[in-house]
Amino acid sequence: MSHILILGSGFAALTAARALRKRGVTAEITLVSPRDTLHYLPSTIWIPAGLRTGEGLKLPLDNFFARHKLRHIKASVTTMSGANRSVTLDTGEVLSADHIIIATGGRFLRKLPGIENAIIPCEGIDAAERITAGLQKLEGGTIAIGMAANPAEPGAIRGGPMFEYLFILDTLLRRQGRREKFELVFFSPSKRPGQRLGEKAVDGVLAAMARRGISTHLGHKMVRIEPDKVVTEGGEIAADLILFQPGMTGLQWFEGTDLPLSPGKMIEGDALCRVPGFEGIWVAGDAGSYPGPEWLPKQAHQADLQAQAVAANIAAALAGKPPRTEFVPELICIMDSLDKGMIVFRRGNINLVLPAMRPLHWLKRAFETHYLKAFR
């Protein structure tokens, strides 16, 4: 019997496993990841407002594994040989397979001096809980929220959540009746942050900042982050709480493999999510670097689409057919502000932006419920 090895237990990994089974693939499937729970990170933006708790966003995957006949190994990958289609785990175990799907996600760059003085929101649930604790300690002051890209690969950025934190904290402080005690500052080396959302969306975001009395510090290269300030080439931002999302890169172990890497140190994938030059090796989600439009997003929805393409192509290969399914480049984002949501959609030449509306906030919450049903 064929063996499929999936590295990771996030969106891309779980979607790939589920899609393979839905396509009737009966091969043995093994998932390798350091945890047996799904952390639903898109909803961590609501933790500071009390709409969600950290524990409530951790879903045990035992039932999912059993339902789809998946073997789970609780371990981390230390290295991989694409030529041998094998991986080595931190337990010392070596696994080989007919097909390997790399869906481990990426990591955030930590090269900026003093970055430990900032909270990186998308690093996980713990980060959102630290934001909550930091906000509760403050009676007033300045909250600086910013983002940057990977200079070697400008598309390796996840900026949407930073806009959400900015607007959610503004709404939350107003609800608490203490907004006038705080200054909110948004900073970025880009003069027009969020351009992958489209120019109309950037205009809308910047206009929303102005309406809410949020200051901006844009277009200046970052120098360092100190415990009480953000230092850029264009000046300093004194701050009592700093949230900063740096650009993304690949996991450390990627660099010790024989696989091709992009300038940003992510694994190269083609339009079919194959790793060029290595038959049977696939990549999906944030772990990879792919061809596509300049706005190709790093987000859960895109990871799902890539995972579905991988499943279709592996199913074809196991049936003796050539893989032909390309992933669909698509961006869907509901930018939440706690009481409203603004939707941005991109596909091909279509770039749709709907203004902030209350029903879109509830749509985002409804999508969370619908999406997680598959994993409960």
Side-chain angles (χ1 to χ4, degrees):
M1 178 182 288
S2 298
H3 181 208
I4 300 170
L5 182 59
I6 302 177
L7 309 181
S9 60
F11 295 112
L14 299 181
T15 296
R18 183 170 172 239
L20 284 165
R21 291 305 191 215
K22 288 184 76 172
R23 289 182 172 275
V25 172
T26 59
E28 178 186 355
I29 301 179
T30 301
L31 275 82
V32 174
S33 68
R35 62 189 182 210
D36 54 5
T37 56
L38 170 65
H39 289 195
Y40 191 72
L41 299 185
S43 292
T44 56
I45 56 171
W46 293 323
I47 289 178
L51 288 184
R52 295 292 181 271
T53 65
E55 287 304 310
L57 296 178
K58 298 175 183 177
L59 279 73
L61 292 170
D62 294 349
N63 290 338
F64 179 84
F65 293 151
R67 188 163 65 250
H68 295 289
K69 297 181 174 59
L70 309 174
R71 176 192 176 206
H72 178 250
I73 297 177
K74 200 169 186 177
S76 296
V77 175
T78 58
T79 190
M80 175 178 174
S81 169
N84 296 328
R85 286 204 296 270
S86 66
V87 299
T88 301
L89 309 183
D90 56 1
T91 60
E93 187 175 4
V94 178
L95 302 175
S96 59
D98 301 284
H99 294 274
I100 298 178
I101 304 172
I102 303 168
T104 55
R107 63 190 169 109
F108 293 99
L109 288 168
R110 285 186 162 271
K111 293 183 178 180
L112 183 69
I115 195 170
E116 68 276 4
N117 295 310
I119 299 173
I120 302 177
C122 284
E123 280 196 327
I125 290 172
D126 289 349
E129 292 175 333
R130 287 174 59 203
I131 294 170
T132 304
L135 186 63
Q136 290 174 345
K137 290 178 183 177
L138 294 177
E139 295 183 0
T142 299
I143 302 174
I145 300 178
M147 63 183 188
N150 182 337
E153 194 158 339
I157 183 174
R158 188 182 293 160
M162 302 310 292
F163 295 136
E164 292 186 294
Y165 269 108
L166 183 70
F167 296 137
I168 284 173
L169 292 184
D170 175 77
T171 302
L172 178 62
L173 290 170
R174 292 179 190 279
R175 284 184 179 179
Q176 294 173 343
R178 57 192 191 122
R179 175 64 175 88
E180 71 281 356
K181 298 179 181 179
F182 287 85
E183 181 180 3
L184 297 182
V185 182
F186 187 83
F187 64 93
S188 173
S190 172
K191 292 182 179 179
R192 287 179 58 80
Q195 291 187 59
R196 293 196 305 164
L197 299 172
E199 293 301 324
K200 185 177 179 181
V202 175
D203 288 342
V205 167
L206 294 177
M209 291 183 194
R211 284 196 306 271
R212 291 169 177 262
I214 296 170
S215 304
T216 58
H217 186 87
L218 305 176
H220 303 291
K221 184 178 179 181
M222 298 189 64
V223 177
R224 65 184 180 275
I225 297 178
E226 297 183 11
D228 59 354
K229 70 177 70 170
V230 177
V231 181
T232 76
E233 291 183 349
E236 300 180 352
I237 307 167
D240 301 280
L241 181 63
I242 302 169
L243 281 57
F244 175 61
Q245 195 94 307
M248 298 186 70
T249 187
L251 299 187
Q252 188 68 49
W253 65 263
F254 291 179
E255 298 182 42
T257 72
D258 52 358
L259 304 178
L261 301 182
S262 70
K265 303 300 182 182
M266 282 160 282
I267 294 169
E268 289 188 359
D270 65 11
L272 278 67
C273 296
R274 300 172 298 192
V275 177
F278 293 87
E279 185 177 353
I281 307 295
W282 311 81
V283 62
D286 290 350
S289 179
Y290 312 89
E294 48 82 23
W295 52 260
L296 189 70
K298 292 285 188 186
Q299 64 169 188
H301 175 65
Q302 187 65 78
D304 283 344
L305 293 175
Q306 288 160 347
Q308 289 165 7
V310 168
N313 288 324
I314 290 178
L318 292 176
K321 301 175 183 178
R324 292 192 174 129
T325 303
E326 297 187 3
F327 73 87
V328 178
E330 187 172 87
L331 184 156
I332 299 179
C333 171
I334 298 179
M335 197 177 303
D336 194 73
S337 59
L338 197 58
D339 56 353
K340 296 179 183 178
M342 181 180 83
I343 194 166
V344 181
F345 173 81
R346 298 195 79 166
R347 183 173 180 177
N349 294 323
I350 301 172
N351 186 190
L352 176 67
V353 180
L354 295 181
M357 295 182 286
R358 189 175 299 276
L360 293 177
H361 166 76
W362 290 102
L363 178 61
K364 184 165 183 135
R365 293 175 68 166
F367 177 79
E368 174 201 64
T369 301
H370 171 74
Y371 189 91
L372 293 179
K373 278 184 180 179
F375 305 108
R376 293 193 185 279

